[in-house]
Amino acid sequence: MSEQIASKLPDYGTITDEITIFAGPCSVESEEQFDEVAACIAGLGLRWIRGGAFKPRTNPHSFQGLGEDALKIMKGAGDKYGLMTLTEVMDSAHCAMVHSYVDGLQVGARNFQNFSLLKNIGQVTKDSHKMVLFKRGFAGTISEWLSATDYITMEGNDNVVLCERGLRTFETATRFTLDISAVPVVHKQSLYPVCVDVSHPAGVRDLVPALARAAVAVGADSLMIEVHPNPPAALSDGPQQLTPAQFEDLVAELREIAAVFGKK
Ligand code: PEP
Ligand code: MN
């Protein structure tokens, strides 16, 4: 990340000074569930917790998220443990409300070319400069992704993190094909920090550690990893979520890899 961008990002810790991981459950399900993950994350000295309040589910009959109740749970846990909170905004009508509860706003893969949503997110964050984590669409080129980023930044907020989360390809062995080369390409073509979401491309938890190791080694500025106290009981994305114990082991390993690459 350039000094120019870094100076604008007081709230964003990069992997260059610590391991920045946006960890947390796929969906916020209850105060107890979220508290358990928050305690784990804070105990590891990490700074951010993620959680879905409005979920972009393929099937409308699937769990859709707790909405504003989830945002209240996130705010409570963030305050209690001193963590910054990140959640996805799916609807322009929700931008102001979501912005009032959390520290970072996520644009999901399914909305990466929803230009009116991107503009609205840019507008709502233009004074606060809250972080916008902008995911690449699973059928989007890097060039389309970087162009779409301008819809956010042209409104006045440069605090954007670009998140690679895997592409739809002919391969069925993984949920999505993680485009690891997107990291150096985006670093070459843009000034924004890059995050790699290793949970959604994996689809199953056994693959998560290998993808996470690769993401650190390839030079990602941050990672996204889903963590749930009881993954088999999760209301969304159970198969890919790590338990707190598994997450703890992985973070220790990633810190060692980051140190090898001269990043602490
Ligand atoms: C998520 O991070 O909760 C999510 C739905 O991811 P994506 O938009 O990458 O599918
Ligand atoms: Mn998920």
Side-chain angles (χ1 to χ4, degrees):
M1 186 180 16
S2 76
E3 303 235 329
Q4 183 198 352
I5 294 285
S7 67
K8 291 184 185 164
L9 308 179
D11 287 336
Y12 182 77
T14 72
I15 230 167
T16 52
D17 48 25
E18 61 180 283
I19 294 258
T20 295
I21 304 179
F22 301 103
C26 180
S27 296
V28 178
E29 297 171 4
S30 69
E31 215 172 301
E32 297 69 33
Q33 173 242 20
F34 202 68
D35 189 276
E36 194 170 331
V37 181
C40 162
I41 291 171
L44 291 169
L46 298 169
R47 296 173 62 190
W48 283 88
I49 186 163
R50 62 146 281 152
F54 298 92
K55 296 302 302 175
R57 304 306 299 281
T58 303
N59 187 327
H61 302 292
S62 302
F63 177 63
Q64 300 288 303
L66 297 180
E68 190 169 1
D69 287 342
L71 301 176
K72 290 180 181 162
I73 292 171
M74 294 188 82
K75 172 127 188 58
D79 290 346
K80 177 173 171 188
Y81 292 100
L83 293 171
M84 290 188 283
T85 52
L86 171 67
T87 200
E88 176 169 352
V89 195
M90 284 175 52
D91 190 324
S92 289
H94 296 152
C95 286
M97 190 242 300
V98 172
H99 179 265
S100 73
Y101 284 102
V102 296
D103 301 294
L105 286 75
Q106 175 172 320
V107 180
R110 289 157 190 80
N111 274 316
F112 105 114
Q113 286 187 314
N114 181 343
F115 301 125
S116 70
L117 178 65
L118 300 181
K119 277 196 229 177
N120 274 290
I121 288 179
Q123 277 161 14
V124 84
T125 57
K126 77 174 170 2
D127 295 322
S128 66
H129 283 78
K130 285 186 177 180
M131 182 189 76
V132 179
L133 185 127
F134 183 29
K135 289 202 175 192
R136 177 183 183 182
F138 44 72
T141 65
I142 290 173
S143 156
E144 288 167 336
W145 187 22
L146 296 180
S147 285
T149 304
D150 290 349
Y151 276 98
I152 303 168
T153 59
M154 69 197 290
E155 300 298 330
N157 183 12
D158 275 343
N159 190 358
V160 172
V161 175
L162 298 171
C163 182
E164 162 63 39
R165 49 78 74 213
L167 302 172
R168 175 70 46 84
T169 69
F170 54 80
E171 182 56 71
T172 55
T174 51
R175 190 176 177 193
F176 295 95
T177 300
L178 181 62
D179 182 8
I180 204 76
S181 37
V183 178
V185 172
V186 171
H187 276 152
K188 213 166 161 179
Q189 296 186 6
S190 100
L191 294 170
Y192 297 102
V194 180
C195 177
V196 178
D197 170 354
V198 293
S199 295
H200 290 91
V204 289
R205 74 183 59 80
D206 290 358
L207 291 176
V208 167
L211 300 188
R213 290 191 290 265
V216 174
V218 84
D221 301 291
S222 55
L223 273 70
M224 176 172 282
I225 303 176
E226 288 189 336
V227 182
H228 192 287
N230 182 10
L235 298 180
S236 59
D237 285 351
Q240 72 197 25
Q241 302 200 62
L242 301 184
T243 63
Q246 288 168 333
F247 179 62
E248 211 172 311
D249 289 348
L250 179 57
V251 170
E253 204 184 340
L254 297 179
R255 284 184 161 138
E256 282 181 31
I257 296 170
V260 168
F261 283 83
K263 299 168 175 177
K264 272 201 172 168

